[in-house]
Amino acid sequence: MISTPAVSDDRRYRISSWLFLRVLGVVLLIAFVSLGVQALGLFGANGVVPISIFVESAKGAGHGFWQHPSALWWSASDPMIASVWIVGAVAAFALMLGLVPKLALAMAWFAYLSFVSLGWPFMSFQWDTLLLEATFTAFFISPWRPWDRLRTHPEPHPVARWALWWLLFRLVFRSAYVKLASGDGAWADMSALTFHYWTQPLPTALAWYVNLLPDWFHALCCLLMFVIEFGAPFLIWPPRAWAKRAAATSIVGLMTLIVLTGNYGFFNLLTIALCIPLLDDRLLRRFVPDRFDLRTESDDRSKWNTWPGVAPALVIALTATIFFTGTFGQRTPAWLGPLYPFGTFNNYGLFAVMTTERPEIELEGTLDGETWKPYGFRYKPGALDRAPVWNTPHQPRLDWQMWFAALGDFRRNQWLGNLMTRLLQGEPSVLELLGDNPFEGEPPVQMRAVIYRYGFTTREQRKATRNWWTRRDRLLYAPILGVPIEAASTGE
């Protein structure tokens, strides 16, 4: 006999919570593999910012594990770095399959935290902490069982659902709020998108074409973005299925449009994943094969999910404190300090101030002091005739940090000097992070960083030159590194 659910399907979220865990596993796997192919070049013993050196320095300053929670605190050797990201990838794959989901989430969370905790500045992106928070919060909707199958997946506790909805609310709402609260005129007069497509860190080729559209279109798109980012979060809370579906649809649509014109790693996919818990069973049941018909199953909640929801309620309370104090100008309470090293309770908000120019750093090496050859990066702009590269959902961390470095002073980006030193040494793991090495035979004897002002070509310029970029105002960005040319030529 088929039992009738006690709660209508438009207020049940069994299918969406099961699906969310699977998609989160996909995002985690992408994040770990993307990080893994860069880890030794960035953090290894001969990398740009060796974690082992940071750990020794932190220990010398009297710091402990709880200030830098990481498996790499105990050992930061190259084999250990590889082991941590591989363990994280295996845990993510297990989550995709529904195997021991709570254990998989815990292992993936700690493995990723191990890099976020010690991997500054290359692990300092907001979607890194967003991934930590999403993984931590997902723990409360995952069941205690060795294999989480759709047919028997329990209804998540309402408070655990609210914790995920609250995370999505904070992420999207503050994305709009910080833009207006910053006082930046480009956002206030809706002109920001006339700069965005060519000044963003890693545009796609489609961004070049969108940039050609008239200013009124960019202003309209900017207004639509604010409508979605301010309005959609409030549609999460009414007890109506149509409101949550509308919120999810609008946010997913916005993320899709962003993906078409810009490379933001796994951020857009993760944000889309966070929309899944908004979808009710009445909607998703249409896509579920009959053999998975949940109506034949009892509401078999796990022991954790039938618990009153105190743990996710505590998470909501902590993040609400951080949200309201950080959003409305008050100082965050000092008692929250011990939580920050875990990167799991955060405020968000991207592009609070729109960049209106694009400085771009080029690294050059020489063997004789006269002929300087540029290194080519895999993804960031370089050669003027190379089209912008589409690399989503991969996160090329060195290319991103080169964008940030160009906006500041080299003295605040000491890692760039380390990068240039590794190129002088011809370090293979670091060269793997780049796209083109002009010194295949022997490394250069001197390195320099020069900076240009880049911009998209116009339609007429592209037709005449076939270039995607223009550049001007060449300047020296940092002091030249290396040995004197005379000493190099005499072997001293």
Side-chain angles (χ1 to χ4, degrees):
M1 180 178 178
I2 297 178
S3 59
T4 303
V7 181
S8 62
D9 276 353
D10 61 357
R11 296 191 181 183
R12 293 168 65 92
Y13 298 88
R14 296 173 69 178
I15 301 174
S16 62
S17 63
W18 180 91
L19 180 61
F20 169 70
L21 291 172
R22 307 288 86 74
V23 177
L24 180 60
V26 173
V27 177
L28 282 164
L29 182 61
I30 290 170
F32 277 114
V33 173
S34 173
L35 175 60
V37 299
Q38 305 172 78
L40 292 184
L42 294 176
F43 307 123
N46 296 316
V48 179
V49 285
I51 283 181
S52 58
I53 294 178
F54 179 85
V55 170
E56 292 305 315
S57 176
K59 289 180 178 178
H63 294 187
F65 172 83
W66 296 108
Q67 291 167 287
H68 306 282
S70 171
L72 302 174
W73 184 259
W74 301 303
S75 172
S77 65
D78 287 3
M80 184 64 172
I81 289 173
S83 297
V84 171
W85 78 259
I86 290 173
V87 167
V90 170
F93 188 68
L95 182 63
M96 286 173 51
L97 300 179
L99 301 176
V100 287
K102 279 199 182 294
L103 178 60
L105 283 165
M107 291 176 61
W109 175 81
F110 185 62
Y112 207 75
L113 175 63
S114 294
F115 287 100
V116 172
S117 179
L118 299 174
W120 187 90
F122 294 104
M123 298 297 297
S124 59
F125 301 102
Q126 286 196 29
W127 40 93
D128 289 322
T129 52
L130 177 64
L131 184 59
L132 284 175
E133 186 165 356
T135 304
F136 182 87
T137 310
F139 187 86
F140 302 113
I141 69 166
S142 62
W144 285 106
R145 55 185 59 180
W147 185 18
D148 180 27
R149 293 175 293 177
L150 176 58
R151 188 178 183 88
T152 57
H153 182 78
E155 175 76 11
H157 194 284
V159 181
R161 286 204 316 269
W162 299 340
L164 283 171
W165 294 352
W166 174 235
L167 172 57
L168 181 63
F169 177 95
R170 291 184 287 120
L171 170 66
V172 178
F173 177 83
R174 274 187 57 88
S175 293
Y177 177 84
V178 297
K179 294 176 175 66
L180 296 183
S182 68
D184 181 28
W187 288 116
D189 65 11
M190 303 295 168
S191 65
L193 295 188
T194 61
F195 305 100
H196 167 72
Y197 296 108
W198 58 275
T199 62
Q200 64 180 316
L202 298 178
T204 67
L206 185 58
W208 185 90
Y209 293 97
V210 176
N211 184 65
L212 297 176
L213 296 173
D215 289 351
W216 65 263
F217 181 83
H218 295 312
L220 181 62
C221 289
C222 190
L223 177 61
L224 178 61
M225 178 210 68
F226 276 120
V227 170
I228 292 174
E229 291 185 343
F230 272 130
F234 290 97
L235 290 175
I236 292 173
W237 303 111
R240 294 290 183 270
W242 67 263
K244 293 177 176 57
R245 295 175 187 178
T249 300
S250 58
I251 295 170
V252 169
L254 179 61
M255 292 300 107
T256 302
L257 293 175
I258 293 173
V259 166
L260 294 176
T261 58
N263 292 287
Y264 295 91
F266 55 81
F267 168 69
N268 306 105
L269 180 58
L270 178 55
T271 304
I272 290 172
L274 286 169
C275 292
I276 294 175
L278 295 175
L279 305 179
D280 54 275
D281 281 2
R282 176 174 294 177
L283 174 66
L284 295 181
R285 193 182 299 280
R286 305 170 188 174
F287 308 100
V288 177
D290 291 341
R291 65 179 182 276
F292 296 122
D293 190 347
L294 296 178
R295 288 173 295 185
T296 63
E297 301 294 331
S298 62
D299 189 9
D300 180 26
R301 298 174 183 241
S302 69
K303 181 178 179 181
W304 179 268
N305 287 337
T306 55
W307 205 51
V310 173
L314 179 60
V315 169
I316 293 173
L318 289 172
T319 54
T321 301
I322 294 171
F323 172 78
F324 286 108
T325 57
T327 301
F328 302 111
Q330 301 177 24
R331 179 171 297 181
T332 303
W335 57 267
L336 290 172
L339 297 177
Y340 293 135
F342 294 90
T344 303
F345 306 101
N346 312 287
N347 269 331
Y348 302 96
L350 295 172
F351 294 107
V353 177
M354 176 53 63
T355 51
T356 58
E357 291 187 332
R358 186 185 190 92
E360 197 70 59
I361 296 172
E362 183 174 85
L363 300 181
E364 299 175 340
T366 184
L367 294 171
D368 57 13
E370 296 182 1
T371 303
W372 293 83
K373 299 179 181 180
Y375 285 82
F377 284 75
R378 292 183 185 272
Y379 306 107
K380 85 176 192 71
L384 302 182
D385 61 351
R386 191 181 73 155
V389 180
W390 197 333
N391 58 269
T392 298
H394 175 52
Q395 173 69 33
R397 296 176 182 274
L398 180 59
D399 296 67
W400 262 83
Q401 283 301 330
M402 291 294 290
W403 182 83
F404 283 109
L407 297 175
D409 188 277
F410 78 91
R411 287 165 291 192
R412 296 187 178 183
N413 296 280
Q414 295 186 8
W415 61 266
L416 184 61
N418 298 342
L419 170 62
M420 295 168 68
T421 299
R422 294 306 188 199
L423 296 179
L424 286 169
Q425 297 167 347
E427 170 55 40
S429 65
V430 175
L431 287 168
E432 281 294 317
L433 302 174
L434 277 64
D436 178 38
N437 175 18
F439 299 93
E440 294 289 352
E442 59 178 320
V445 296
Q446 288 186 347
M447 287 287 305
R448 70 183 182 188
V450 296
I451 192 165
Y452 295 89
R453 300 290 178 185
Y454 268 62
F456 275 156
T457 54
T458 64
R459 184 180 285 105
E460 294 74 20
Q461 289 171 328
R462 170 134 176 77
K463 184 176 181 180
T465 65
R466 304 188 66 83
N467 289 341
W468 294 83
W469 298 97
T470 63
R471 68 182 185 184
R472 57 184 174 82
D473 301 339
R474 175 188 174 97
L475 296 170
L476 187 65
Y477 177 79
I480 296 175
L481 296 184
V483 301
I485 298 298
E486 295 79 8
S489 62
T490 59
E492 296 180 8

